[in-house]
Amino acid sequence: QSRLKNDLISVQIEEIWSSLMGKTIANYTDSIKIIGQTLIITTTNAPLKNELLYQKEKIRERVNEALGEALINEVVVK
């Protein structure tokens, strides 16, 4: 059940990702997954990866705010 809930939350985040982060970032984001309370963002674009690493805390805050509860404790960029 926990995995199903994480999958549903991942889909919710993917749906709002472009409004949270902007269309350019959304276009270069390969995948978004949740494992436990960790949001995993995957991209092959090195400059974007670097930018996301600097914005990890802001991303966590924005996603939690958009979801209406503190579901994400950590952001990992791969």
Side-chain angles (χ1 to χ4, degrees):
Q1 187 177 6
S2 178
R3 183 171 170 241
L4 180 60
K5 182 179 179 185
N6 285 347
D7 289 345
L8 288 172
I9 295 168
S10 295
V11 170
Q12 286 179 313
I13 294 170
E14 285 178 12
E15 289 176 355
I16 60 173
W17 188 246
S18 63
S19 64
L20 285 176
M21 301 304 296
K23 289 189 184 271
T24 304
I25 291 175
N27 287 339
Y28 288 103
T29 302
D30 296 329
S31 71
I32 299 170
K33 295 180 186 174
I34 295 179
I35 298 176
Q37 294 182 317
T38 303
L39 176 67
I40 300 171
I41 304 165
T42 307
T43 183
T44 54
N45 185 301
L48 174 61
K49 184 176 182 179
N50 198 34
E51 183 65 28
L52 291 174
L53 286 169
Y54 283 115
Q55 293 187 27
K56 283 169 44 170
E57 185 61 28
K58 187 181 276 188
I59 292 168
R60 187 186 67 78
E61 290 172 3
R62 284 182 178 179
V63 169
N64 282 335
E65 184 178 324
L67 295 173
E69 55 185 307
L71 296 174
I72 306 300
N73 288 338
E74 185 180 358
V75 176
V76 174
V77 181
K78 291 186 175 182

